[in-house]
Amino acid sequence: MQLDRPSKTPRHVAIIMDGNGRWAGARGLARTAGHRAGVERVREAVRTAHEANIEYLTLFAFSSENWNRPEEEVSDLMGILKYFIRKDLAELHRENVCVKVIGCRQSLKPDIRGLLDEAEDRTRGNTGVTLVIAFNYGSRNELVRATRLIAEAVQAGQLDPCSINEHSLSAFVDTAGIPDPDLVIRTSGEQRLSNFLLWQAAYSEFVFLPCLWPDFDRQAFLNALDEYSRRDRRFGAIPARAERAVGS
Ligand code: IPE
Ligand code: IPE
Ligand code: MG
């Protein structure tokens, strides 16, 4: 079932899925139990995005800084990603979801790289929700990689430095072809970006929620969308009402 598209539905919602460890800790469980519970909410969030007519859903699953965690947790997180793709890819494909992956793939193990490539290849032609998985993703790393690509194109004589502008730079970052997020949600009460979409979120609206990611259900998602619908986005201009007053 799809809800009617309210006039202020975001086209692209990006979520920093935070708080799995604290969710587990509060229950006396190992952190990995929190990550597993979080996967259920990933499935639910994709369904809610479809229901709410959201075109792009980006989920921050593993940051370039998350390598700083104990080896055992990193290995659990890699295992959970593998399990998710193996188990859910067919279902995502059936639901017409198009999977895209952002982040540095080069430094991932070949089996993980292979699964991420497979998820993208298999769902490339799908026309439903685009699920963007941010894995081994960090904005600063993304901008460094984009800068290298630009430098190489200039060196090869394919790009005139004078022609580089905000629009053309966007074509070199991992999110090329994906509109900027209208709304960024972060769970767990933290109010920071943690190196997520620094370039793309220049004019995003932010909703910071106290709930931990494994508690982020359909209703919490719909409430965040409702909060977004009441925001006034101005992009540096003045509100329409004030503009009329200036002109009168
Ligand atoms: C988010 O939950 C998942 C990842 C970063 C991979 P955390 O694991 O950061 O949980 P907290 O913030 O420690 O509670
Ligand atoms: C951000 O959460 C990364 C993901 C949700 C994947 P972290 O838990 O890693 O962020 P910090 O360390 O609290 O800033
Ligand atoms: Mg965290």
Side-chain angles (χ1 to χ4, degrees), residues 55-74:
E55 289 175 54
Y56 297 86
L57 176 68
T58 297
L59 299 178
F60 201 6
F62 188 87
S63 81
S64 47
E65 287 73 34
N66 287 148
W67 296 104
N68 295 327
R69 296 189 177 199
E71 222 179 285
E72 200 188 321
E73 180 165 347
V74 169

Side-chain angles (χ1 to χ4, degrees), residues 7-21:
S7 55
K8 287 177 91 177
T9 297
R11 223 182 140 195
H12 181 177
V13 177
I15 308 184
I16 304 174
M17 310 183 288
D18 197 17
N20 294 350

